[in-house]
């Protein structure tokens, strides 16, 4: 009995190694790397003979059979004797090939004679590779399939090894090519690269270790040399004293490139026909060889097959004990991930009923989040905490408020005059006009970007503008949003849906009364002391010329916010792109008319206000008009008023104006009076219509057509859409599983089944 099996710890290690072998037998190693020993080296390094000595398996001497694929050898101590040979399909092979090689299973009585060689040849044929130079020239020489040999018996010692094809540099005409050389090197690297693999680097004693490809490969994947054990073979070929001394120095550890060091063994060569599989005789012959001078001075725990076998078991136990918890965690994680992917695919969807059920579940998930976003119930789902840009109603409300604020302050073309300006002297008006002109000359350079100058602007201009605006009521200030308008919808909504972006500049500072007087003369008829019906509509349209681009840009922004919200919610409810992409194409066909209705209604409101008759039933119009006119008259009369102090007989204390001065309060020029009247009417009417229009855009277009309408965009993706608007062909296209999805489902189900069995093994 070996050291690792002589106590309870050894029995525990044996059970742990058994579990790893069972996991490997299940095929778990294709998904999760398992602790293992991989023997690798160059061709003719004595690797196959070494494995034969370690495992008692006599490999066929035909090079064409035993070096074309990886061989996994599992030795177990069991009460019953059995030898089973099977094939594990390689990674990435076709399903048909996998089924074919998995069907290969042979049982033999021993490893001697022609029967065992025949099984190897059968396995090579099943793998579809060449067996010699006369084989099918189109067949590959090497394969990623793995030959698996399970050897059980009462005298076996627990050990698992993987033999990979030997590295070679030269072609064999008719058998190997330059492509095969590269393929074998990549195969070797693939097997040794995982950190859970112990690398058994096989090197013949009659070569320089530094020149061996396997040593270089091992240093690349294991730069610290912590999991690479060097094995020196063919010491009988090291005949020169210098060569023997160099080999002995490696075994003594005088070269520190490998932390696990080197061991040395003597095993039979290809022409050693006198050798026998009798372990006792083989070990005796080896002991006799190493009893010779120089070899006898080496550490006995690093000399000979028995010592190497014990060391390998110890290394494998240590590596397995260290990695076992990591294997468990990785297995649990992969099982969880596979279940999540399968859950994400939903139920099987082969029939239309299953497809409708599948899509209605997505609709339910979508609708739940949409209602949360529309009703500002942001605590209802974590997505609103993770992504504040999805707080739909909050963003829309801010957008509407900023639109209204901007519209009220800067959407008119020219600044209206105020009563104080109208009543001031010409000199005062001139000075104020220059100040206003200077202010707006600077402010028009600013974009709607949060009140910042464009890059490269002169900071002195900003200071000058600040000083000018400080003395005013800050009408016309810019109002930035606290977020960026999403642009994801611009690629979806082509054509006439979205309007062009518009930068609303501040009103002009030019004198409005001059514009009114000019327009009055253009529209004048035979009116006496008044003005025609065309003047007010013309003045209003001039002042409202920015309404259309501003309003349509605002509605476009609202559409982009809603569209981005819908797109994200569909993506969250349907994470599978194979389903979501064709579904989104169908939804777009329904969403576009919804957005178009909103834009059409905005255009309708613009047509009513800009092209319809100038009419209002709002009493605030008359109140505003009277207030404006009265304020102007009072302001004009103030300079002629005199103060009567208290105590004057017959006169109450207060401000009075002489009767003869009243005429001076009114401009004798009838045109001036008419111009002022037009100004007051236009201003009052503009304010009433502006208030009405802003409310209608926000309430009708944005809130109704985009948010709350039963036929609006938020309601497009519904169970009714799935059951009534999607055709049978649509259901197949969107929810039907194609071959890729079906294969993915089968693969995930198989992976989950495999991992469940693996977890059961680990917990047993």
């Amino acid at each position: 009995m070996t050291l690792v099996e002589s106590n309870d710890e050894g029995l525990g290690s044996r059970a742990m190694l058994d579990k790893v072998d069972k996991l490997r037998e299940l095929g778990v190693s294709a998904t999760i790397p398992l602790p293992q020993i991989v023997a690798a080296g160059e061709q003719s390094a004595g690797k196959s003979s070494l494995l034969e000595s370690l495992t008692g398996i006599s490999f066929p001497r035909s090079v064409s059979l035993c070096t074309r694929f990886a061989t996994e050898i599992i030795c177990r101590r069991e009460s019953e004797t059995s030898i089973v040979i099977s094939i594990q399909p390689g990674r990435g092979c076709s399903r048909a090939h996998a089924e074919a090689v998995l069907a290969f299973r042979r049982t033999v009585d021993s490893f001697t004679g022609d029967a065992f060689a025949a099984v190897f040849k059968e396995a090579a044929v099943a793998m579809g590779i060449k067996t010699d130079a006369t084989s099918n020239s189109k067949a590959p020489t090497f394969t990623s399939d793995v030959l698996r040999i399970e050897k059980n018996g009462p005298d076996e010692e627990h050990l698992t090894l993987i033999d990979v094809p030997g590295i070679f540099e030269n072609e064999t005409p008719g058998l190997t090519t330059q492509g095969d050389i590269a393929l074998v090197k990549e195969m070797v690297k693939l097997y040794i690269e995982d950190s859970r693999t112990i690398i058994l680097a096989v090197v013949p004693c009659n070569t320089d270790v530094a020149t061996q490809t396997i040593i270089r490969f091992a240093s690349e994947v294991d730069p610290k040399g912590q999991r690479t054990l060097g094995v020196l073979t063919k010491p009988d070929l090291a005949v020169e004293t210098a060569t023997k001394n160099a080999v002995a120095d490696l075994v003594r550890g005088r070269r520190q490139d490998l932390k696990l060091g080197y061991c040395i063994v003597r095993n039979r060569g290809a022409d050693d026909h006198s050798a026998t599989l009798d372990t006792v005789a083989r070990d005796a012959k080896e002991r006799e060889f190493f009893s010779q001078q120089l070899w006898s001075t080496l550490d006995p725990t690093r000399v000979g097959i028995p010592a190497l076998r014990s060391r390998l078991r110890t290394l494998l136990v240590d590596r397995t004990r260290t990695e076992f918890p990591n294997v468990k965690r990785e297995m649990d994680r992969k099982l969880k991930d596979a279940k999540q992917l399968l859950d994400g695919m939903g139920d099987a969807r082969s029939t239309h009923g299953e497809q409708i059920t599948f899509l209605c579940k997505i609709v339910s998930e979508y609708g739940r989040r949409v209602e949360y976003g529309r009703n500002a119930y942001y605590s209802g789902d974590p997505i609103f905490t993770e992504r504040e840009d999805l707080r739909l109603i909050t963003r829309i409300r801010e957008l509407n408020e900023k639109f209204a604020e901007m519209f009220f302050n800067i959407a008119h073309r020219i600044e209206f005059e105020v009563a104080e300006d109208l009543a001031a002297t010409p000199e005062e008006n001139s000075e104020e006009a220059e100040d206003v002109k200077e202010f707006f000359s600077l402010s028009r350079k600013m974009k709607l970007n949060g009140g910042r100058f464009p890059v490269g602007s002169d900071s002195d201009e900003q200071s000058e503008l600040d000083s000018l605006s400080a003395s005013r009521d800050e009408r016309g200030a810019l109002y930035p949003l606290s977020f960026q308008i999403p642009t994801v919808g611009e690629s979806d909504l082509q054509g006439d849906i979205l309007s062009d972006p518009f930068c609303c500049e501040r009103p002009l500072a030019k004198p409005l009364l001059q514009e009114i007087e000019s327009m009055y003369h253009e529209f004048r008829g035979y009116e006496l002391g008044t003005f025609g019906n065309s003047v007010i509509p013309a003045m209003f349209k001039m002042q409202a010329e920015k309404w259309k681009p501003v309003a349509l840009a605002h509605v476009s922004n609202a559409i982009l916010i809603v569209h981005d919200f819908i797109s994200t919610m569909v993506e969250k409810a349907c994470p599978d792109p194979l389903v979501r992409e064709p579904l989104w194409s169908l939804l777009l066909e329904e969403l576009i008319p919804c957005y178009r209705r909103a834009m059409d209604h905005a255009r309708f409101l613009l047509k009513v206000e800009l092209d319809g008759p100038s009419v209002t039933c709002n009493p605030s119009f008359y109140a505003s008009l009277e207030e404006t006119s009265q304020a102007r008259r009072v302001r004009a009369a103030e300079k002629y008023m005199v103060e009567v102090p208290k105590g004057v007989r017959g006169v109450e204390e207060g401000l009075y104006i002489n009767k003869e001065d009243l005429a001076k309060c009114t401009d004798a020029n009838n045109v001036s009076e008419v111009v002022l009247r037009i100004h007051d009417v236009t201003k009052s009417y503009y304010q009433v219509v502006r208030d009405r229009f802003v409310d209608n855009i926000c309430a009708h277009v944005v809130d109704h057509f985009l948010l709350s309408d039963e036929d609006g965009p938020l309601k497009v993706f519904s169970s009714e859409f799935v059951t009534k608007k999607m055709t049978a062909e649509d259901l197949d296209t969107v929810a039907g599983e194609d071959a890729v999805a079906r294969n993915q489902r089968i693969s995930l189900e198989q992976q989950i089944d495999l991992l469940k069995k693996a977890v059961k093994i680990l917990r047993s």
Side-chain angles (χ1 to χ4, degrees), residues 103-241:
F104 182 90
R105 188 177 181 85
R106 301 289 187 273
T107 301
V108 298
D109 297 327
S110 69
F111 294 105
T112 59
D114 296 334
F116 190 58
V119 172
F120 261 72
K121 189 166 186 177
E122 289 178 26
V125 172
M127 295 177 188
I129 60 173
K130 294 178 184 178
T131 55
D132 53 51
T134 61
S135 300
N136 182 3
S137 59
K138 295 183 179 180
T141 305
F142 295 89
T143 178
S144 60
D145 295 336
V146 180
L147 187 71
R148 181 182 174 88
I149 304 174
E150 300 175 64
K151 183 185 178 188
N152 302 321
D155 298 326
E156 295 298 327
E157 295 183 357
H158 198 103
L159 185 65
T160 299
L161 292 168
I162 297 176
D163 177 32
V164 294
I167 302 168
F168 63 101
E169 299 293 343
N170 299 313
E171 300 179 33
T172 300
L175 193 61
T176 61
T177 64
Q178 286 293 327
D180 293 329
I181 295 172
L183 177 66
V184 169
K185 289 181 178 180
E186 288 303 313
M187 186 184 299
V188 172
K189 289 181 180 180
L190 180 65
Y191 270 94
I192 68 175
E193 65 183 359
D194 189 76
S195 61
R196 293 171 186 158
T197 296
I198 298 169
I199 305 170
L200 200 62
V202 182
V203 179
C205 289
N206 60 336
T207 61
D208 183 2
V209 172
T211 65
Q212 292 293 293
T213 305
I214 184 57
I215 297 298
R216 176 165 58 83
F217 284 1
S219 66
E220 291 174 0
V221 298
D222 179 31
K224 295 183 179 179
Q226 295 177 332
R227 55 184 181 89
T228 304
L229 176 65
V231 179
L232 303 169
T233 62
K234 303 182 180 182
D236 49 318
L237 299 183
V239 294
E240 296 180 358
T241 302

Side-chain angles (χ1 to χ4, degrees), residues 555 559 593-603 701 705-706:
V555 177
I559 289 174
C594 295
Y595 299 143
R596 183 174 287 117
R597 283 197 297 272
M599 292 297 287
D600 286 347
H601 193 73
R603 293 187 179 97
V701 179
F705 280 100
L706 295 181

Side-chain angles (χ1 to χ4, degrees), residues 208 268 306 536 547:
D208 183 2
R268 68 167 180 154
I536 297 300
W547 281 24

Side-chain angles (χ1 to χ4, degrees), residues 345-480:
M345 294 184 69
D347 300 328
R349 309 188 298 273
S350 57
T351 69
H352 289 162
E354 290 173 342
Q355 292 161 3
I356 289 174
T357 300
F358 169 74
L359 289 175
C360 283
K361 288 181 179 179
I362 297 176
V363 167
S364 177
E365 188 70 13
Y366 163 84
R368 178 179 63 84
R369 290 195 179 100
V370 166
E371 285 304 302
Y372 290 165
R374 198 166 66 90
N375 296 320
Y377 181 47
Y378 302 135
S379 60
D381 194 283
I383 191 173
F384 297 106
T385 301
E386 298 165 3
R387 296 208 25 202
E388 292 186 2
D389 59 304
L390 296 177
R391 298 184 176 186
L392 176 64
I393 206 66
T394 302
R395 290 292 166 90
I396 290 295
R397 179 170 180 177
E398 180 181 346
L399 186 73
N400 279 339
E401 288 175 347
K402 295 301 183 182
F403 162 72
E405 197 170 0
M406 180 196 69
F407 211 91
F408 273 57
N409 288 314
I410 63 174
H412 46 289
R413 179 173 180 265
I414 304 174
E415 282 286 10
F416 283 103
E417 305 287 354
V418 294
E420 289 83 351
D421 298 331
L422 295 175
T425 62
E427 293 78 11
E428 291 172 335
N429 270 327
S430 175
E431 182 180 353
E432 175 66 11
E434 288 300 316
D435 182 43
V436 171
K437 182 177 180 181
E438 184 179 4
F439 176 80
F440 285 109
S441 174
L442 289 170
S443 66
R444 278 199 303 274
K445 298 179 182 179
M446 302 177 71
K447 304 293 184 182
L448 289 177
N449 63 349
R452 298 182 178 88
F453 274 104
V455 176
S457 297
D458 191 344
S459 59
D460 291 339
E461 291 182 340
Q462 176 70 70
S463 301
E464 187 176 355
L465 180 61
D466 290 343
S467 64
L468 286 169
S469 62
S471 62
R472 301 184 59 81
D473 62 0
E474 296 189 0
R475 287 178 301 146
L478 300 175
Y479 303 103

